[in-house]
Amino acid sequence: MSDVFTTRILNVTTGTDETVADLTHDCEQFLQQAARDRDGLLNIFVPHATAGIAILETGAGSDSDLLAALHTLLPADDRWQHRHGTPGHGRDHVLPALIPPHATLPVIAGRLELGTWQSVCLVDTNKDNPDRRVRLSFLG
């Protein structure tokens, strides 16, 4: 059984454009206080029906490539039955089926066990809701 369970809410403003927001630094800061050199698991969860959590490289074009791929897979047009908000908003409600609203990552000696080019990212295609909550939870 675990000795430690700690959780924190991040408030993230994504703006009015589709975005891939890098949360890696926020996760690392949280673990500095919560994990304190312990091994365990970090769970990242976004409690929204139109956003997801992805592990990917950022800054080298992969984040833009992801958004472009989502446009191909989930076009923002009038094909969606879910119709409210901006045109094509129904696609935003399908996003979490492709990019889940959660990720669980290993923490070793208090640090995220990510690959060299991996980052923890919030993926938000919903232009109608710029304010997001992200829950970080450490179990160790």
Side-chain angles (χ1 to χ4, degrees):
M1 188 73 177
S2 170
D3 294 326
V4 176
F5 177 80
T6 306
T7 191
R8 174 182 302 155
I9 299 288
L10 298 177
N11 292 304
V12 180
T13 301
T14 56
T16 57
D17 294 323
E18 297 177 357
T19 190
V20 175
D22 191 337
L23 303 177
T24 309
H25 181 70
D26 295 301
C27 292
E28 290 169 342
Q29 282 188 316
F30 169 69
L31 288 172
Q32 284 178 355
Q33 297 171 355
R36 297 192 179 132
D37 297 324
R38 287 187 292 267
D39 294 352
L41 296 171
L42 174 67
N43 182 264
I44 306 104
F45 176 69
V46 55
H48 297 281
T50 58
I53 300 295
I55 309 300
L56 75 152
E57 179 180 7
T58 59
S62 297
D63 37 356
S64 297
D65 289 343
L66 174 60
L67 292 175
L70 290 172
H71 276 272
T72 300
L73 293 170
L74 305 172
D77 58 22
D78 64 356
R79 74 182 67 199
W80 308 101
Q81 292 181 36
H82 185 107
R83 295 175 189 230
H84 70 83
T86 58
H89 174 66
R91 73 184 282 266
D92 301 327
H93 288 273
V94 177
L95 174 81
L98 301 175
I99 300 175
H102 59 85
T104 300
L105 303 172
V107 176
I108 307 299
R111 298 184 55 110
L112 271 177
E113 186 73 4
L114 289 172
T116 302
W117 304 112
Q118 289 180 316
S119 297
V120 178
C121 297
L122 170 66
V123 179
D124 187 1
T125 59
N126 183 355
K127 301 176 196 179
D128 296 334
N129 185 1
D131 299 312
R132 299 301 188 165
R133 289 185 2 228
V134 178
R135 178 177 294 279
L136 304 178
S137 299
F138 174 73
L139 179 64

